[in-house]
Amino acid sequence: MALLEVEHLTVSLPTSDGWVHPVDDVSFTVSRGEILSIVGESGCGKSTTALAVMRLLAENVRIAGQIRLDGADLLQLSEAEMCALRGNRISMIFQEPMTALNPVKTIGFQIMEPLLVHTSMSRTEAREKAIDLLARVGIDQPARRINAYPHQLSGGQRQRIVIAMALACEPDLIVADEPTTALDTTVQRQILDLLLRLVSETSIALMLITHNLAVVSEVADRVMVMYGGRITETGPTSDVLAHPIHPYTKGLIGALPRADLPPGERLVPIAGVVPRLVDMPSGCALADRCPAVIDACRRARPAERMIRPAHQAACIRA
Amino acid sequence: MSISHQASAVLSVEDLSVRYRLPRRSLFAAPEWFAAVTGATFSVGKGASLALVGESGSGKSSLAKAVMGLEPASAGAIRLFGQDLASLSANELRELRRRFQMVFQDPYSSLDPRHSIQRIVIEPLRDVARTEARERAAEVLSHVGLGVNDLGKYPHQFSGGQRQRIAIARALVTKPDLIVADEPVSALDVSVQAQVLNLMQDLQAQYGMAYLFISHDLAVVEYLCEDVVVLYRGRVVEIGKTREVMKDPAHPYTQELVNAMPRLGGGKRRPAAKQQVKAGSPDENANATGACPYMSRCPRAAEVCRVAPSLRALGNGRSVACHLS
């Protein structure tokens, strides 16, 4: 059994034009020791999926379906039970380390906080553990740095602190939402290496949300491409990127400037724009932007089908 | 650099330094300065495209601001179309601004939300008659893929990519010879980024203007710019043809940058051995001690690096500031 099993997850949001669905009937799993990447453009529902798993969405949002962690449905838990899980068995890494950290508390306090809340550790033990964690995420002189404030650290170091906080209680699942997007390329490389090392050393399951296909290519075991709140393609990373099936995945790859592009070769943008949630087509969400569209695409929403082993796509033309 | 090359250059930056005053420690303390750019020299030819790359804090945006005349140079000179920027009066500078325009990173904050698209696009055309200005605005909008009927709309009615096209149209409307673009596509989604990059390429082919393109994304730079200047802590560490620099980086910092670039289709990386990062930001004293600013991060650092290297030519348009390469 996979650690995290998400089934028929639908997130509904009330608007003045009626209910819209930023996440629309999404099912996937993440196993221990696995990195699953969710990719797509802004507004495709990837962050909303992450926040739904953490149950951090606003009160007025409706969540339907099942989100099972080790078989237990998170959607059935009370808020108090969920609080006991967050930062403990499941934790989250956000994009902006400066806003994820409290500027008026030392980093030691912030790493110790989940330990003091979720475990029976004393302050001394928690402090020891925090120093350990700082060393583990690659902070030099951890015993001294533990008293530093966030503004005394660089962006990359702050993201390491956020990762240390997420690791504190030895979680089963980490949800990372664009963890390297705000960082410089060289720092991004270090943070990705750190995440890869942590997943290979422990049996953490990592759900990595990103818009960067090159990052996916280097880090993820499996990739899930989302568009218009739906999954368009899932499969092993190398297979999906080398042999994409869905026109949207092909479009994302074709639009990417890459080092191996022959000189003079033009990028191929995806035509049109992402439809607004209130105007989501009833058939395939990509229909208006797809070069391979036929009438049947607009009639019904395409189901996900297994095209190759472990490789699914939701496209009737595949 | 030959005289003829300088004469044909749209922009030439000579030994430029830009510094910012730091807050005083006390009322009577002597002011302290932060050197954002130190001794940068490069030039952009007519119709050429040059990229400035480097990490945050490398001085690329300070350089762009200095070139636009938005930040005074503390030393060195900026020549635009042969004229020294510092010697121009405010009126002369305003006159010259027609010929060099800027596109900013965030199309949400660079367009005034209370102005119509027409007002935004014709703003640089102050002394042009209204009907002609309107015609010019309609013309540039059609070049960036928008229509006459968009003139009366407001920024909030457009997506991020469309807004960036409007910002480009505003830069284009004076038919400039140089466009300075500071991270113009980094806030955009990949499909939209491709549209804007293609557009910038088409416009250059059509109008022949030069680009000074600031980016942290080497893949984008390689796609759009023939030449590249790599900055580290305010100093130029390498200059050359983008493709050659990417294929065979000479400076250890450029090597670090190129190696750090995530690549599509390279396969999953094996987790690297554990690294320790040094506490605090490195090299803060490099300017004071006169050592190579990259020394404390450099895997090849040696005794000679205690004296900062100057840029030397390797031939074929390539220069590098490193004793060891």
Side-chain angles (χ1 to χ4, degrees):
Chain A
M1 185 175 66
L3 174 73
L4 179 76
E5 297 168 301
V6 173
E7 264 175 47
H8 304 295
L9 175 70
T10 298
V11 176
S12 309
L13 202 68
T15 70
S16 50
D17 298 319
W19 290 87
V20 296
H21 311 288
V23 177
D24 192 355
D25 196 7
V26 161
S27 303
F28 62 92
T29 63
V30 194
S31 304
R32 287 192 163 83
E34 181 182 54
I35 303 182
L36 171 77
S37 206
I38 305 185
V39 286
E41 296 176 279
S42 19
C44 69
K46 53 191 196 302
S47 287
T48 312
T49 305
L51 292 173
V53 169
M54 296 298 296
R55 273 195 42 196
L56 286 173
L57 290 165
E59 290 280 308
N60 61 345
V61 171
R62 274 194 214 152
I63 309 180
Q66 289 198 330
I67 301 171
R68 289 192 302 269
L69 186 74
D70 259 341
D73 190 353
L74 299 184
L75 296 178
Q76 304 304 323
L77 299 182
S78 69
E79 185 52 34
E81 289 168 317
M82 197 61 208
C83 277
L85 277 185
R86 271 191 226 112
N88 189 9
R89 291 195 60 203
I90 53 176
S91 52
M92 184 146 185
I93 300 169
F94 293 93
Q95 173 171 351
E96 260 299 335
M98 198 58 210
T99 48
L101 293 171
N102 186 338
V104 300
K105 299 284 185 191
T106 63
I107 58 170
F109 175 90
Q110 300 186 56
I111 299 173
M112 285 158 64
E113 198 177 17
L115 293 167
L116 296 173
V117 170
H118 294 297
T119 70
S120 53
M121 273 187 203
S122 69
R123 290 196 71 85
T124 337
E125 288 166 332
R127 199 180 157 83
E128 287 295 304
K129 173 89 184 176
I131 293 172
D132 250 23
L133 285 162
L134 284 177
R136 221 168 130 205
V137 296
I139 298 278
D140 184 52
Q141 301 180 26
R144 199 166 68 86
R145 300 305 287 181
I146 193 166
N147 297 316
Y149 287 88
H151 75 269
Q152 295 172 305
L153 305 173
S154 69
Q157 287 172 331
R158 282 184 210 136
Q159 197 59 298
R160 286 171 195 267
I161 304 303
V162 173
I163 294 173
M165 286 166 67
L167 284 175
C169 294
E170 287 161 20
D172 298 314
L173 173 71
I174 294 183
V175 178
D177 191 359
E178 305 269 10
T180 61
T181 306
L183 305 175
D184 278 317
T185 318
T186 49
V187 182
Q188 163 170 288
R189 155 74 41 195
Q190 295 166 6
I191 297 294
L192 291 176
D193 276 346
L194 172 64
L195 289 173
L196 271 170
R197 187 164 55 75
L198 293 171
V199 172
S200 77
E201 278 172 8
T202 58
S203 56
I204 293 176
L206 178 66
M207 214 170 117
L208 178 79
I209 318 285
T210 178
H211 68 281
N212 188 332
L213 278 177
V215 166
V216 172
S217 161
E218 295 198 341
V219 176
D221 300 299
R222 279 193 308 127
V223 58
M224 174 171 129
V225 185
M226 287 186 75
Y227 184 76
R230 305 165 190 179
I231 298 173
T232 54
E233 185 161 357
T234 340
T237 307
S238 51
D239 194 25
V240 171
L241 295 181
H243 311 287
I245 293 167
H246 199 283
Y248 182 61
T249 318
K250 290 180 187 168
L252 285 179
I253 295 171
L256 203 65
R258 40 202 286 197
D260 56 357
L261 211 64
E265 187 93 359
R266 283 172 68 82
L267 302 176
V268 190
I270 304 173
V273 292
V274 179
R276 300 190 318 144
L277 283 172
V278 286
D279 308 323
M280 202 50 76
S282 53
C284 175
L286 191 69
D288 291 334
R289 302 178 76 187
C290 182
V293 66
I294 54 172
D295 283 346
C297 297
R298 299 182 197 277
R299 262 178 242 133
R301 176 175 164 173
E304 276 182 81
R305 292 182 295 134
M306 189 81 80
I307 310 286
R308 279 199 292 277
H311 189 158
Q312 294 175 302
C315 177
I316 55 169
R317 313 255 8 229
Chain B
M1 204 183 296
S2 68
I3 303 291
S4 64
H5 182 64
Q6 275 200 9
S8 70
V10 171
L11 165 71
S12 75
V13 171
E14 290 151 30
D15 207 18
L16 178 75
S17 297
V18 178
R19 56 180 196 171
Y20 297 103
R21 198 162 149 171
L22 296 170
R24 280 174 200 255
R25 299 218 170 150
S26 78
L27 187 57
F28 303 107
E32 289 179 69
W33 298 86
F34 173 75
V37 180
T38 310
T41 300
F42 61 87
S43 65
V44 184
K46 196 171 185 307
S49 43
L50 178 94
L52 298 178
V53 301
E55 57 195 28
S56 39
S58 63
K60 45 193 201 304
S61 289
S62 297
L63 239 170
K65 279 188 195 153
V67 166
M68 290 306 295
L70 300 173
E71 197 65 64
S74 61
I78 297 165
R79 268 178 239 287
L80 277 157
F81 323 109
Q83 301 187 55
D84 187 348
L85 204 59
S87 71
L88 298 177
S89 69
N91 273 335
E92 289 169 323
L93 179 62
R94 192 170 304 131
E95 197 58 33
L96 197 66
R97 275 245 166 83
R98 240 178 268 266
R99 298 182 60 193
F100 63 105
Q101 293 282 331
M102 186 150 183
V103 176
F104 296 89
Q105 172 171 0
D106 181 1
Y108 288 83
S109 55
S110 68
L111 304 180
D112 191 322
R114 295 165 306 166
H115 289 182
S116 68
I117 302 309
Q118 169 163 328
R119 183 159 170 202
I120 287 168
V121 174
I122 68 174
E123 196 169 13
L125 298 175
R126 275 214 186 136
D127 47 352
V128 175
R130 210 162 168 78
T131 43
E132 195 200 328
R134 201 186 135 84
E135 271 170 35
R136 294 259 292 270
E139 187 195 329
V140 287
L141 274 185
S142 74
H143 284 307
V144 299
L146 295 165
V148 187
N149 47 0
D150 293 319
L151 282 172
K153 293 186 187 165
Y154 287 83
H156 73 267
Q157 294 171 285
F158 295 92
S159 68
Q162 287 171 320
R163 284 177 203 220
Q164 201 57 303
R165 290 154 180 271
I166 293 165
I168 291 172
R170 173 176 59 185
L172 269 181
V173 78
T174 58
K175 302 203 169 83
D177 296 302
L178 173 69
I179 289 185
V180 177
D182 191 356
E183 303 268 12
V185 295
S186 45
L188 306 176
D189 268 318
V190 58
S191 65
V192 181
Q193 170 180 298
Q195 294 169 12
V196 173
L197 287 174
N198 281 345
L199 173 70
M200 288 183 74
Q201 225 176 26
D202 293 345
L203 292 171
Q204 190 175 39
Q206 195 176 348
Y207 291 103
M209 74 284 224
Y211 286 133
L212 180 63
F213 186 87
I214 291 138
S215 180
H216 68 281
D217 186 341
L218 288 173
V220 168
V221 165
E222 182 159 31
Y223 178 69
L224 193 73
C225 298
E226 205 184 332
D227 299 291
V228 65
V229 172
V230 184
L231 292 164
Y232 182 75
R233 298 240 150 200
R235 291 165 192 269
V236 174
V237 296
E238 187 162 358
I239 298 186
K241 296 274 167 234
T242 311
R243 281 199 174 254
E244 288 166 25
V245 171
M246 297 275 291
K247 207 169 70 192
D248 180 23
H251 195 281
Y253 174 65
T254 321
Q255 287 165 9
E256 186 189 344
L257 210 55
V258 171
N259 289 337
M261 199 176 129
R263 281 166 215 275
L264 198 65
K268 187 172 165 167
R269 275 173 68 84
R270 304 169 73 98
K274 182 170 172 177
Q275 355 84 327
Q276 282 287 334
V277 287
K278 291 264 185 315
S281 36
D283 323 319
E284 255 153 20
N285 299 319
N287 273 334
T289 60
C292 170
Y294 189 61
M295 188 176 169
S296 63
R297 246 169 91 175
C298 184
R300 285 152 57 190
E303 203 51 39
V304 288
C305 305
R306 293 196 182 281
V307 178
S310 50
L311 206 62
R312 72 195 152 83
L314 297 179
N316 215 358
R318 181 91 75 100
S319 302
V320 63
C322 178
H323 296 300
L324 305 168
S325 38

